[in-house]
Amino acid sequence: MHVLLYLLLSMSAFANEEFPAGAGSTSDLSVGAFSHPLSGARGQERRDFVLGNSFFQSVWVTSPSSTPIRDGLGPTYNATSCTACHFKDGRGRGLPDQDGKVDISLLFRLRVKNADGSVSEPENYGGQFNPQGIAGVPGEGDAFVNFETVTGKFSDGEVYELKKPRYTFINLAFGAFPKNTIFSPRVGPQMSGLGLIENIKEEDILKQADPDDLDGDGISGRPNMVYSIVERKKMLGRFGWKAGKASLLEQNAAAFHGDIGITSYLHPEEDCPLVQIDCAKKRTQDDISPDLLGKVTIYTQLLSVPVKRDVGSKSVENGKALFMKMNCQSCHTPSYVTGTNSEFEILNNQTIYPYSDFLLHDMGDELADDVGAYKNEEDAGTREWRTPPLWGLGLVQVVNGHTRLMHDGRARDFNEAILWHGGEAQKSRHKYLNLTKKERDDVVAFLKSL
């Protein structure tokens, strides 16, 4: 009885925004801020976390090798390790400062628009562009970006400047892309608090959905109900820029397969389109065992979230009030209480502050993969993106050395990220344009504190 009372009192002490991951929040605000296990993880959980971390950091090599437990790279791939795109468990930068080759952390999903309104994968390249190949296997080509300068004004007369990316693909090894190809750029997001997101009750996310905007506030929000190859049924998608995966196990297995060319029991076949004969000759199977894939998944489930900074600051508090006044919280839902069924007790019954509804929203023409209404990933459309969580974003510069945001890193800071919002967020963007310089700075201060 005394132990239960102590646990309840301890839990309530962390049930405020200063501790975004509840009792599991970390107080480390250094370059290692995103890499800690949740406080409260103990014993075997920590040992599995460490083992999973070693394979998350591992550079995978070509099979066969003297280290068969870490081989199976390719035949084609984007990167040789998870950490190449999630350095220090943080965000990739995605785009360079000037016109040039895109960063390794930015991948492209490929779809071709068909005459009947459906989409399919390009016959010669498959569903994801892989610029790298192992020895004897050509990479698929190179992706470059050129920037178009877009200017505008705040209502107080201050001029702003955005850099709109234009993507081109050269050195294509298997011919030009079909004319109706859709390119969907996606940068490696930070890894904070993923297990807590997985443990949010499904009904708490679904109750925010308003796909037909019945309340008339201009904000819809649709769940991406995706097929789970583990559960063999439709489930709520939570992970990825289009909410394309229902669980961290499936998200990790898909990333190993699509990004590094590592097969597993969930994705046993290499992605080698018929014309890529050299790729087919180098196929391997079962590159990562179910046990090791499980350990990597435990690692991602137990990653913590840094505590909030600048608590009590007048600028931060005013910024938060303006954030609410602009109605940003309609998509960036501040808090949840997690469920109670996780095998890891530290994930259960925690009051958390991710600032996301984890639903899909139409973000307007400028951010759309294609302005048409095509399905891109399960039910997610080409105009839609899942609301990303905001926790930890203020420390990306400390951890990753850059401040780039949005799905491809086009925003160079928080101010630009807000200005890129369109579609359902257009009204909030308009309110931001009408703030004073001091008020805009306060909104950014609030976002940096999360």
Side-chain angles (χ1 to χ4, degrees), residues 431-447:
K431 290 176 181 176
Y432 184 71
L433 286 170
N434 285 313
L435 297 180
T436 66
K437 178 70 167 63
K438 171 66 169 56
E439 289 171 329
R440 298 197 298 272
D441 289 345
D442 287 348
V443 172
V444 171
F446 166 64
L447 295 171

Side-chain angles (χ1 to χ4, degrees), residues 87-145:
F87 183 64
K88 295 283 185 183
D89 302 297
R91 285 178 62 92
R93 63 171 293 126
L95 296 175
D97 291 331
Q98 307 293 331
D99 295 353
K101 198 170 183 178
V102 305
D103 188 72
I104 189 174
S105 61
L106 188 69
L107 63 81
F108 293 86
R109 295 284 174 81
L110 308 173
R111 298 289 185 273
V112 176
K113 294 183 281 188
N114 300 318
D116 63 357
S118 65
V119 297
S120 57
E121 297 179 354
E123 190 172 287
N124 290 359
Y125 290 92
Q128 183 166 318
F129 187 63
N130 291 127
Q132 309 291 333
I134 62 174
V137 178
E140 293 181 331
D142 297 303
F144 281 75
V145 62

Side-chain angles (χ1 to χ4, degrees), residues 181-204:
T181 301
I182 298 170
F183 303 96
S184 181
R186 305 177 191 188
V187 73
Q190 68 191 87
M191 307 292 292
S192 301
L194 295 178
L196 293 162
I197 295 171
E198 190 172 45
N199 203 31
I200 296 173
K201 287 174 280 190
E202 184 169 298
E203 59 265 33
D204 287 346

Side-chain angles (χ1 to χ4, degrees), residues 309-320:
R309 285 79 60 202
D310 298 323
V311 176
S313 157
K314 287 184 179 178
S315 177
V316 169
E317 290 303 312
N318 189 45
K320 180 179 179 180

Side-chain angles (χ1 to χ4, degrees), residues 142-358:
D142 297 303
F144 281 75
V145 62
N146 296 94
F147 293 103
E148 173 191 346
T149 299
V150 179
T151 59
K153 276 186 180 180
F154 294 100
S155 61
D156 62 8
E158 182 176 316
V159 176
Y160 66 80
E161 186 177 273
L162 303 176
K163 295 292 186 180
K164 182 176 182 177
R166 302 281 192 190
Y167 298 108
T168 55
F169 298 85
I170 65 172
N171 303 323
L172 293 173
F174 303 99
F177 289 116
K179 288 182 179 178
N180 290 331
T181 301
I182 298 170
F183 303 96
S184 181
R186 305 177 191 188
V187 73
Q190 68 191 87
M191 307 292 292
S192 301
L194 295 178
L196 293 162
I197 295 171
E198 190 172 45
N199 203 31
I200 296 173
K201 287 174 280 190
E202 184 169 298
E203 59 265 33
D204 287 346
I205 294 175
L206 293 179
K207 72 183 182 184
Q208 304 172 92
D210 183 18
D212 299 318
D213 192 23
L214 295 179
D215 63 7
D217 67 350
I219 307 293
S220 60
R222 288 195 317 117
N224 191 6
M225 302 305 294
V226 302
Y227 182 75
S228 166
I229 56 176
V230 173
E231 301 296 334
R232 298 181 183 277
K233 64 179 182 181
K234 285 268 189 177
M235 296 180 66
L236 173 67
R238 301 170 186 244
F239 300 105
W241 286 103
K242 299 278 188 182
K245 292 291 178 284
S247 70
L248 280 172
L249 174 63
E250 292 178 78
Q251 175 69 18
N252 293 335
F256 267 119
H257 182 250
D259 304 347
I260 313 179
I262 300 297
T263 54
S264 65
Y265 72 102
L266 294 178
H267 295 281
E269 299 292 332
E270 302 279 16
D271 185 14
C272 295
L274 287 177
V275 298
Q276 298 191 23
I277 297 171
D278 294 320
C279 178
K281 290 177 180 175
K282 300 280 186 175
R283 283 174 172 154
T284 56
Q285 290 185 323
D286 299 326
D287 299 326
I288 186 169
S289 70
D291 181 60
L292 288 180
L293 179 59
K295 294 295 191 298
V296 173
T297 298
I298 290 173
Y299 171 69
T300 57
Q301 288 172 319
L302 293 179
L303 280 166
S304 185
V305 183
V307 294
K308 187 177 178 181
R309 285 79 60 202
D310 298 323
V311 176
S313 157
K314 287 184 179 178
S315 177
V316 169
E317 290 303 312
N318 189 45
K320 180 179 179 180
L322 291 166
F323 182 88
M324 302 299 177
K325 192 174 180 180
M326 293 189 297
N327 203 30
C328 303
Q329 79 283 0
S330 285
C331 302
H332 290 285
T333 306
S335 67
Y336 300 86
V337 176
T338 60
T340 57
N341 295 322
S342 173
E343 63 180 300
F344 304 115
E345 193 54 40
I346 191 60
L347 296 178
N348 289 330
N349 199 31
Q350 297 291 332
T351 302
I352 62 172
Y353 292 83
Y355 278 89
S356 172
D357 61 8
F358 302 102

